[in-house]
């Protein structure tokens, strides 16, 4: 089916069959790279939130310790009392 241009449909199909696997591989690699970058960003933000929660938990623990020391001095035996 040559119409004078020198390229027929069979040549285009053969060219597409050779080029398309490379294009698809590059497309898949690009998508995976983007998803890994996004996943690492999420992990970094999760780690930052976890660190903040850890700091807050430490502060609360220190406050509870201070309150327990105050109660030990002001109200001896408070731990064994029933507060219900």
């Amino acid at each position: 089916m040559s119409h004078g241009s020198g390229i027929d449909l069979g040549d285009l199909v053969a060219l597409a069959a050779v080029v398309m696997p490379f294009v698809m591989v590059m497309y898949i690699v690009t998508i995976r790279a983007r998803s890994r970058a996004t996943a690492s960003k999420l992990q970094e933000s999760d780690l930052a939130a976890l660190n903040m929660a850890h700091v807050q938990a430490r502060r609360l623990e220190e406050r509870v310790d201070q309150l327990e020391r105050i109660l030990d001095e002001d109200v001896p035996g408070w731990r064994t009392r029933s507060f219900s």
Side-chain angles (χ1 to χ4, degrees), residues 59-76:
R59 287 181 187 162
L60 288 173
E61 187 176 7
E62 290 172 5
R63 288 179 178 181
V64 168
D65 289 343
Q66 289 175 355
L67 288 171
E68 286 178 345
R69 274 187 256 124
I70 291 170
L71 283 172
D72 285 339
E73 291 176 12
D74 291 348
V75 187

Side-chain angles (χ1 to χ4, degrees), residues 1 14 16 19 22 27 29 33 36-37 40 42-43 45 47-49 52 55 57-58 63-64 72 74 77 81 83-84:
M1 288 183 106
V19 172
F22 293 108
Y27 179 73
V29 167
R36 285 183 183 171
S40 68
L42 293 175
Q43 290 172 355
S45 66
L47 185 58
M52 287 180 61
V55 168
R58 284 285 190 124
R63 288 179 178 181
V64 168
D72 285 339
D74 291 348
R81 290 186 186 174
F83 292 102
S84 53

Side-chain angles (χ1 to χ4, degrees), residues 8-67:
D8 65 359
L9 186 59
D11 291 339
L12 289 177
V13 170
L15 179 63
V18 170
V19 172
M20 286 305 292
F22 293 108
V23 171
M24 292 302 294
V25 168
M26 292 305 296
Y27 179 73
I28 291 169
V29 167
T30 303
I31 288 175
R32 283 190 157 202
R34 285 184 185 172
S35 67
R36 285 183 183 171
T38 303
S40 68
K41 287 179 185 176
L42 293 175
Q43 290 172 355
E44 290 172 7
S45 66
D46 292 341
L47 185 58
L50 183 61
N51 285 334
M52 287 180 61
H54 183 259
V55 168
Q56 289 177 342
R58 284 285 190 124
R59 287 181 187 162
L60 288 173
E61 187 176 7
E62 290 172 5
R63 288 179 178 181
V64 168
D65 289 343
Q66 289 175 355
L67 288 171

